[in-house]
Amino acid sequence: TKNFEQITAKDIMSPSPKTVEEDVLAIDAYSTMKNNKITSLLVMNAQEYLGVVHIHDILREGIV
């Protein structure tokens, strides 16, 4: 095991993160999170990464 001070983001990242397209409804993004037991999704369009949506973003908007 590595010393805590030596652990990098690469060491603990998900190698294949879940993604959603930019036009997916927030409620559908929430369902994806719930079904996969995760709290965030990468938002993509056909060419690039656009950002991250977190479950707290959805809850703050009162969607669920």
Side-chain angles (χ1 to χ4, degrees):
T1 52
K2 289 188 175 189
N3 186 339
F4 178 73
E5 291 84 16
Q6 296 174 330
I7 295 174
T8 65
K10 184 178 180 181
D11 294 330
I12 59 174
M13 72 179 189
S14 175
S16 55
K18 300 291 184 202
T19 63
V20 290
E21 292 291 323
E22 63 184 324
D23 59 351
V24 165
L25 295 175
I27 193 70
D28 294 330
Y30 172 76
S31 292
T32 298
M33 290 181 206
K34 186 175 174 185
N35 292 338
N36 289 281
K37 297 180 170 87
I38 57 176
T39 59
S40 55
L41 294 166
L42 296 180
V43 180
M44 311 286 292
N45 68 18
Q47 292 86 21
E48 63 187 343
Y49 156 80
L50 300 173
V52 175
V53 63
H54 194 277
I55 196 166
H56 291 119
D57 301 322
I58 293 171
L59 296 174
R60 183 177 50 246
E61 294 299 323
I63 294 168
V64 292

